[in-house]
C-alpha cells in the first residue's frame, strides 16, 4: 500500500492542486494530518477536495478554531482574524464536517497519524526530547505528525534517537528515507499550504509500505495567485507575505 501523506493545507487550493499533480497516481490511499483550513483563501474548496480524496483525516488546531470548537484566545491576532474570516466563509455542511473530525492519534493500517504531539494535539514537536514520547507511545512503528510546518522528523533505534534532516535543494524535488525494521519513526511531511522551514514550495510525503520507503517531496506552485485571492479577501498582510519566503 502507498499512502499520500498531506498536512497543514491551510485552505490553499493552488498548493494542493500542485501536490496532487506531482503525486500523480502513485498512491492508493490518502491520510491528512489536520489544519485543512485556516490562513488561506479557499476553505470550502479545500474541504471539498479532501472529501473527494476520501482521505483519513484528523483535526488540527485551526480546524477546531474555524468551526467554533475552541475559541481563539491562544491565537495571535493575525491567526485569530484568519480563523474568524474562515468561520464566516465555511458552509454549514463544512462547519459540521470540521466539528466531527476525529482527534489523533488515528491508526490507518500500519501507520498512525497525529496533528501535534501524541498526547497533546496542540503541542509543537520541534526538539528530540518532545519527539521521544511519540516515538515510544505510537501504536505503530511509523507515526506521521504535522503542526510545525517543518518537513523532517526523528527515528529511534536501540535507545538512540536521531534527527532526520531533509534539505532538498532548489533543483531537487524529493529525498527518500529508507524504513528499517526495528526502528521507530516520527515523520513530518511538511505543510502543503504554508511551509515555514524556509522552502516556499508545497510539501508532502508518499509512504510506500511495499518498498519501505518514505519520499519527502517539494513542489513549486503559483504563490502569487494565492496571494491575490488573500488580498481580495482582506486576509492579514503578514500571512500573505510569508508564503513568498516559506517562513
Ligand atoms: Zn498548521
Amino acid at each position: 500500500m502507498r499512502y499520500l501523506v498531506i498536512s497543514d493545507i491551510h485552505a490553499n487550493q493552488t498548493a494542493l492542486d500542485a501536490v496532487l499533480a506531482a503525486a500523480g497516481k502513485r498512491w492508493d490511499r490518502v491520510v491528512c494530518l489536520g489544519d485543512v483550513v485556516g490562513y488561506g483563501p479557499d476553505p470550502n474548496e479545500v474541504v471539498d477536495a479532501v472529501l473527494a480524496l476520501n482521505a483519513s483525516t484528523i483535526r488540527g488546531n485551526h480546524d477546531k478554531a474555524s468551526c467554533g470548537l475552541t475559541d481563539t484566545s491562544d491565537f495571535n491576532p493575525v491567526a485569530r482574524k484568519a480563523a474568524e474570516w474562515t468561520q464566516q466563509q465555511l458552509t454549514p455542511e463544512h462547519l459540521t464536517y470540521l466539528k466531527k473530525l476525529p482527534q489523533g492519534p488515528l491508526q490507518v493500517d500500519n501507520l498512525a497519524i497525529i496533528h501535534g504531539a501524541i498526547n497533546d494535539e496542540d503541542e509543537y514537536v520541534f526538539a528530540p526530547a518532545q519527539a521521544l514520547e511519540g516515538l515510544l507511545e505510537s501504536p505503530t512503528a511509523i507515526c506521521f505528525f504535522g503542526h510545525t510546518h517543518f518537513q523532517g522528523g526523528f527515528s529511534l533505534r536501540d535507545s538512540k534517537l536521531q534527527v532526520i534532516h531533509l534539505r532538498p535543494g532548489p533543483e531537487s524535488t524529493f529525498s527518500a528515507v529508507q524504513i528499517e525494521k526495528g526502528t521507530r519513526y516520527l515523520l513530518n511531511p511538511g505543510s502543503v499550504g504554508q511551509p515555514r522551514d524556509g522552502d516556499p514550495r508545497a510539501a508532502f510525503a508518499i509512504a510506500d509500505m511495499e518498498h519501505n520507503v518514505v519520499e519527502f517531496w517539494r513542489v513549486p506552485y503559483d504563490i502569487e495567485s494565492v496571494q491575490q485571492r488573500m488580498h481580495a479577501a482582506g486576509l492579514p498582510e503578514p500571512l500573505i507575505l510569508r508564503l513568498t519566503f516559506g517562513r
Side-chain angles (χ1 to χ4, degrees):
M1 190 76 99
R2 297 160 306 173
Y3 301 86
L4 173 61
V5 187
I6 51 179
S7 188
D8 299 278
I9 307 167
H10 282 291
N12 185 336
Q13 182 67 46
T14 308
L16 180 59
D17 285 339
V19 162
L20 295 175
K25 291 258 178 276
R26 291 174 310 99
W27 51 267
D28 307 296
R29 193 165 176 183
V30 184
V31 295
C32 176
L33 319 182
D35 281 3
V36 175
V37 300
Y39 294 139
D42 318 309
N44 287 306
E45 291 83 349
V46 167
V47 171
D48 279 331
V50 169
L51 282 167
L53 289 167
N54 201 19
S56 300
T57 307
I58 54 170
R59 68 191 191 184
N61 51 319
H62 284 263
D63 303 319
K64 286 190 288 180
S66 298
C67 70
L69 265 187
T70 51
D71 66 25
T72 52
S73 54
D74 61 341
F75 275 36
N76 64 52
V78 159
R80 186 178 310 142
K81 188 156 187 248
E84 285 163 2
W85 179 87
T86 302
Q87 191 164 8
Q88 288 160 10
Q89 303 300 312
L90 284 163
T91 66
E93 293 77 18
H94 288 167
L95 284 167
T96 302
Y97 165 79
L98 292 173
K99 275 184 193 150
K100 287 184 175 167
L101 280 178
Q103 178 179 355
L106 177 72
Q107 191 171 338
V108 181
D109 304 330
N110 292 322
L111 303 176
I113 60 173
I114 55 180
H115 184 65
I118 193 132
N119 294 318
D120 180 356
E121 60 185 341
D122 297 333
E123 182 186 342
Y124 292 89
V125 176
F126 280 113
Q130 297 172 293
L132 188 60
E133 209 169 46
L135 286 162
L136 290 172
E137 293 181 24
S138 167
T140 57
I142 304 172
C143 179
F144 281 99
F145 73 107
H147 196 36
T148 61
H149 302 206
F150 270 63
Q151 198 175 51
F154 309 89
S155 68
L156 183 70
R157 186 186 183 90
D158 301 333
S159 330
K160 193 169 175 231
L161 199 161
Q162 285 193 310
V163 179
I164 299 168
H165 283 294
L166 299 166
R167 277 277 150 203
E171 323 75 32
S172 65
T173 49
F174 79 91
S175 33
V177 170
Q178 188 74 40
I179 299 301
E180 316 269 358
K181 268 210 160 49
T183 302
R184 298 179 69 80
Y185 296 88
L186 189 63
L187 302 172
N188 191 324
S191 167
V192 172
Q194 196 206 71
R196 294 177 191 162
D197 50 9
D199 185 340
R201 295 176 296 176
F204 68 100
I206 292 177
D208 181 344
M209 293 298 98
E210 278 151 47
H211 299 97
N212 296 312
V213 171
V214 178
E215 299 170 356
F216 292 87
W217 282 75
R218 301 310 284 245
V219 289
Y221 70 96
D222 185 355
I223 293 173
E224 276 177 33
S225 73
V226 180
Q227 292 173 318
Q228 280 165 12
R229 292 200 298 283
M230 292 174 81
H231 270 297
L235 284 161
E237 193 65 31
L239 296 178
I240 299 171
L241 262 180
R242 72 185 307 174
L243 293 181
T244 303
F245 304 102
R247 291 273 182 211

